[in-house]
Amino acid sequence: MLKMTPTVLKNLFSKSSTRMYPFEIREPFPLYRGELFNDIDNCIFCKKCEIKCPSQCITVTKDKESGTGTWTCDPFACVYCGICVDVCPTQSLRMEPNHRKPSASRDMIEMVGKIKMPKKKKAAPKKAE
Amino acid sequence: MARTIIPFGPQHPVLPEPLHMKLVVEDEIVLEAIPALGYVHRGLEKLAEIRDYHQMIQVVERVCGICSMIHSLCYCQGIEEMMKIEVPERAKYLRTIWSELHRMHSHLLWLGLFADAFGFESLFMQFWRIRERIMDLNEATTGSRVIVSVNVVGGVRQDLTPEQCSWILTELAQAEKELKTIQATILNDYTVCKRTKGVGVLTKEQAYDLGAAGPTLRGSGIAQDMRQLKYAAFDKIDFEPVVENDGDSFCRSKVRFREVLQSIDLVRAAIAGLPQGDLAAPCKGNPEGELITRVEQPRGECLYYMKGNGTKYLDRVRIRTPTFANIPPLIAMMPGIELADVPVVILSIDPCISCTER
Ligand code: SF4
Ligand code: SF4
């Protein structure tokens, strides 16, 4: 125990190594994979993220009739690996470096956006008669 | 006193994981230990049938919390060998850096828990405070504290900038300084020696015959380390296994303590030799064939058997984790020790039950 005494004394008179958590929050590191967001206006509903996601928590559906697409993510199944962010061809997915807020109910992130229809060819102008 | 059978676990304060042991004791002396495993089977190997081989990387990372990087490294190496992918040099060095950071934080976690097992709370806190530095390095460079997800088939996903490298070096220098101040405590202190020296002895012959792995093996005087197989960048970095000869709990903790310092040197060497180049080689096609890969995890040798059939799903993934190899030696250590020493001895092999049962 004697060998430890200098360390113990030093710790006693130095400042605390921990933080008073809810009042004092450490700045997150910029690379930290904390929370997943989809910028739905850029999403083209290509399903790449759905196919590559290892925990299979993304579902992408397209509804041709109403011209809308739905991007759903189950944040409780997500493992925050960031694969979907890497594969998204339009960079509409991004990760923010803060933790998700705790939640009492299991809710899904559901986003509805417009499908970008291939541009219709303009009907050939009718010949003037 | 007549023989009594005392159950140890599945839930026990010293061990966060469910390991059950039936201890046959007579007068507080353990005569025999009968292990019972199988409380946390998760069926991860079965997932290979419904997750393709890229997605399996994230699955095997979750076999073990604190050697996640090294699990995925082993898996990716196997797939790369099957598909004959040449990994870029820079990726190999980066893999080495992160796997050594993982080894450090795993050993520091264990050293803390070990101190806690014989009641040295203050030492426990010291080790965990140093560990926090390593966790911060992980978080800032890869994006996650524990499950870093940096490996992909063919290379790595993240890069290290020169500023990050120099920051890693300064943090490691600080960690090394702090470790040196508590070196005398863990290696020389009366309390620590009293509880660990001569407790749970595994002789060299026993270690060899029972197939011990990792620090348990090296603590018994056998210089065997899978990093000698020269995977990742270990062919370019000088490496000598850490060996201690007595085979008791004290030697096993000494091996781990010295390995932390060794890992610091290995990271330094890897950062000094970090070449420029690509991060990942392109990966086309599907794996076919079968093979075995081995890497050194903090706890010892980890072995992957993989069988690919030319589709994107693997036929079979079999994982043998180091704790699985270390359970027979653990049973051999038990007879003759006092009941009060049982937690110390069990902890001295660093059991990771969730890995063993996957
Ligand atoms: S990969 Fe990107 S663009 Fe494609 S569906 Fe997912 S979020 Fe939308
Ligand atoms: S972060 Fe990973 S688990 Fe989460 S949605 Fe993206 S790919 Fe799936």
Side-chain angles (χ1 to χ4, degrees), chain A residues 24 40 50 58:
Chain A
E24 196 184 326
I40 201 72
E50 179 183 335
I58 301 182

Side-chain angles (χ1 to χ4, degrees), chain B residues 278-321:
Chain B
D278 290 342
L279 288 184
C283 152
K284 287 201 197 75
N286 293 316
E288 193 166 6
E290 56 181 327
L291 87 163
I292 283 175
T293 42
R294 296 190 290 174
V295 295
E296 180 75 19
Q297 281 185 339
R299 297 177 175 79
E301 166 197 353
C302 170
L303 182 146
Y304 270 61
Y305 163 78
M306 281 177 276
K307 187 167 176 215
N309 53 3
T311 65
K312 63 179 179 174
Y313 301 104
L314 292 172
D315 264 357
R316 182 86 171 91
V317 178
R318 169 79 174 91
I319 307 166
R320 199 209 65 171
T321 54

Side-chain angles (χ1 to χ4, degrees), chain B residues 180-255:
Chain B
K180 290 268 161 70
T181 58
I182 47 176
Q183 185 169 14
T185 315
I186 186 85
L187 299 184
N188 253 332
D189 190 77
Y190 172 77
T191 327
V192 180
C193 293
K194 186 87 184 147
R195 285 307 302 274
T196 57
K197 269 200 178 153
V199 173
V201 179
L202 186 74
T203 61
K204 192 169 177 174
E205 290 73 36
Q206 272 178 323
Y208 189 80
D209 291 344
L210 297 171
T216 315
L217 180 68
R218 292 194 286 279
S220 295
I222 299 179
Q224 193 194 62
D225 190 309
M226 287 306 127
R227 284 174 281 178
Q228 288 165 317
L229 291 178
K230 313 227 176 282
Y231 64 89
F234 289 109
D235 49 348
K236 308 272 167 35
I237 299 172
D238 277 345
F239 171 74
E240 279 292 319
V242 174
V243 184
E244 293 290 334
N245 291 317
D246 292 351
D248 52 4
S249 305
F250 179 70
C251 276
R252 289 189 277 277
S253 59
K254 202 167 165 186
V255 167

Side-chain angles (χ1 to χ4, degrees), chain A residues 38 43-49 60 71 88-90 92-93:
Chain A
N38 190 359
C43 179
I44 53 171
F45 303 100
C46 63
K47 297 204 177 198
K48 257 211 169 131
C49 49
V60 181
W71 181 91
C88 178
T90 60
S92 76
L93 291 174

Side-chain angles (χ1 to χ4, degrees), chain B residues 13 20 33 51-52 91 110 122 126 146 163 168 176-177 216 234 243 246 248 257 266 336-337:
Chain B
H20 180 59
R51 300 279 194 269
D52 70 35
W110 178 85
S122 166
Q126 291 294 325
V146 185
E163 297 85 65
I168 291 180
E176 191 177 21
K177 210 174 102 198
T216 315
F234 289 109
V243 184
D246 292 351
D248 52 4
F257 187 84
L266 287 175
I337 59 170

